[in-house]
Amino acid sequence: MAHEALAIQTENLGRVYTIKAIKKGEAKQRVALNDVNLEVGRGEFFGLLGPNGAGKTTLIKILTTLLAPTHGRATVAGYDVARQAAQVRPLINMVSGGESSGYGLLTVRENLWMFGQFYGLDSKSTYRRVDALLEIVGLSDRAHTKTSDLSTGLRQKMNIVRGFLTDPQIIFLDEPTLGLDVGASREVRSFVRNWVDERPDRTLLLTTHYMAEAEELCQRVAIINAGKVLACDSPANLKRRLQREAIFRLDVSPLRNGALSTFETLPGVRKFVHTPQDGKSELDLILAEDGAIASVVTTLTSHGAQILNLQKREPTLEDVFVDLVGLSMEQAAAS
């Protein structure tokens, strides 16, 4: 992709944190990003998908000039984020899930006006923009409510308005629906989708660990884990990687460790994830072919497990992640 067509580009981007030790001489280093290479086109809705701790927030902080890279290079709107931060900042904005929401004693409208002043907007334009955005996200009736009296979902809607107040060229959304209920999450997704669709020059980079969110919104997705980008393509193409495989979900009576270790040696079993549930075990299996399920069933019955449900299904982004990492998103976050 030509450089002028890129909104975001990283080249061998890395970030290493030094963790201070309790005892002298025992300082350790943690690699948060490891040679990340990404290209995001102008006008693209791009997703960064990975578990908590994968490096998504670190990458966003570097791209928004809040954190310096340890090595490598990143450009946003053609400007180097480390050397030309002053040129980058007027063109971007950022919203994070769970972030603080201004001053609790101020109303929603007062808080947003205040942010407009921070951004250098004149009062008249700010109020006009605030009122229009509050209407779009369904917050007009709360414009004169103190922020401290808002629910978590309504405060996050206010944060969304704050992020889009400047009508940035490029916006970064870091887990924007974190902690929101289903209805509020749907409304936020609808708003950001429409924002990108309205103008072809707008670019949005979304980080999320919600598979359905990435699949619904993003034109392309980069899967990241342990600071490394493992794959980058459209959701459809990523799932197409697994179309030759057979994917099954089984609900069985609780399994013992002996049965689980046996799966690793069964012919045709490429990957499996075991998720203990109340009163049962849930197995997600990626098999080389349909026929491999027979040996799985035989193994389960030989260990005294009762099959409660067996279902073949189409591949999902979660399956792509399991195929790449060998763990589910939840397990990767805990490891």
Side-chain angles (χ1 to χ4, degrees), residues 64-75:
T64 54
T65 75
L66 298 176
L67 188 68
T70 305
H71 62 80
R73 182 171 179 263
T75 60

Side-chain angles (χ1 to χ4, degrees), residues 157-210:
K157 283 186 178 182
M158 191 189 82
N159 284 333
I160 292 288
V161 170
R162 191 266 308 153
F164 288 85
L165 193 57
T166 58
D167 194 18
Q169 287 186 23
I170 304 165
I171 193 160
F172 299 86
L173 302 184
D174 188 18
E175 303 278 3
T177 60
L178 185 67
L180 300 188
D181 61 32
V182 174
S185 296
R186 186 184 303 115
E187 290 171 354
V188 168
R189 289 196 298 270
S190 176
F191 172 75
V192 299
R193 176 75 270 173
N194 290 336
W195 183 82
V196 172
D197 289 343
E198 280 176 358
R199 286 216 324 247
D201 59 333
R202 289 170 168 169
T203 305
L204 193 151
L205 191 150
L206 167 77
T207 78
T208 183
H209 64 273
Y210 298 130

Side-chain angles (χ1 to χ4, degrees), residues 8-246:
I8 300 166
Q9 184 179 33
T10 70
E11 300 173 352
N12 300 320
L13 193 68
R15 173 69 193 191
V16 178
Y17 291 101
T18 299
I19 304 171
K20 293 182 179 179
I22 297 175
K23 295 182 179 179
K24 189 176 181 180
E26 292 185 358
K28 297 182 179 179
Q29 291 189 328
R30 182 176 71 84
V31 178
L33 292 177
N34 188 353
D35 289 337
V36 171
N37 292 284
L38 286 176
E39 292 185 347
V40 180
R42 293 185 187 274
E44 188 170 13
F45 199 134
F46 188 89
L48 198 62
L49 178 64
N52 295 330
K56 304 188 302 295
T57 297
T58 297
L59 178 56
I60 285 239
K61 285 183 176 180
I62 291 174
L63 295 176
T64 54
T65 75
L66 298 176
L67 188 68
T70 305
H71 62 80
R73 182 171 179 263
T75 60
V76 172
Y79 297 106
D80 187 290
V81 297
R83 296 185 295 104
Q84 298 172 296
Q87 286 93 329
V88 172
R89 289 170 183 164
L91 306 177
I92 66 172
N93 216 328
M94 173 183 174
V95 177
S96 296
E99 68 178 273
S100 58
S101 309
Y103 293 97
L105 292 176
L106 297 181
T107 67
V108 170
R109 200 166 186 258
E110 289 167 343
N111 264 303
L112 292 170
W113 174 86
M114 177 186 67
F115 281 113
Q117 303 312 291
F118 293 161
Y119 295 140
L121 304 177
D122 66 87
S123 290
K124 187 176 180 180
S125 298
T126 299
Y127 279 128
R128 185 169 59 248
R129 181 88 175 136
V130 164
D131 292 341
L133 288 170
L134 289 177
E135 181 69 29
I136 292 171
V137 301
L139 267 183
S140 291
D141 60 335
R142 301 300 184 99
H144 302 291
T145 301
K146 289 183 179 180
T147 305
S148 58
D149 294 333
L150 297 179
S151 66
T152 299
L154 295 181
R155 284 198 300 272
Q156 184 60 3
K157 283 186 178 182
M158 191 189 82
N159 284 333
I160 292 288
V161 170
R162 191 266 308 153
F164 288 85
L165 193 57
T166 58
D167 194 18
Q169 287 186 23
I170 304 165
I171 193 160
F172 299 86
L173 302 184
D174 188 18
E175 303 278 3
T177 60
L178 185 67
L180 300 188
D181 61 32
V182 174
S185 296
R186 186 184 303 115
E187 290 171 354
V188 168
R189 289 196 298 270
S190 176
F191 172 75
V192 299
R193 176 75 270 173
N194 290 336
W195 183 82
V196 172
D197 289 343
E198 280 176 358
R199 286 216 324 247
D201 59 333
R202 289 170 168 169
T203 305
L204 193 151
L205 191 150
L206 167 77
T207 78
T208 183
H209 64 273
Y210 298 130
M211 300 290 182
E213 191 165 79
E215 193 161 351
E216 175 188 343
L217 294 173
C218 301
Q219 294 162 280
R220 286 192 305 140
V221 172
I223 295 178
I224 185 171
N225 188 56
K228 294 182 179 181
V229 172
L230 306 178
C232 181
D233 210 331
S234 69
N237 285 342
L238 288 171
K239 291 186 292 182
R240 201 168 288 128
R241 297 160 54 108
L242 298 179
Q243 284 187 338
R244 294 181 181 178
E245 282 75 26

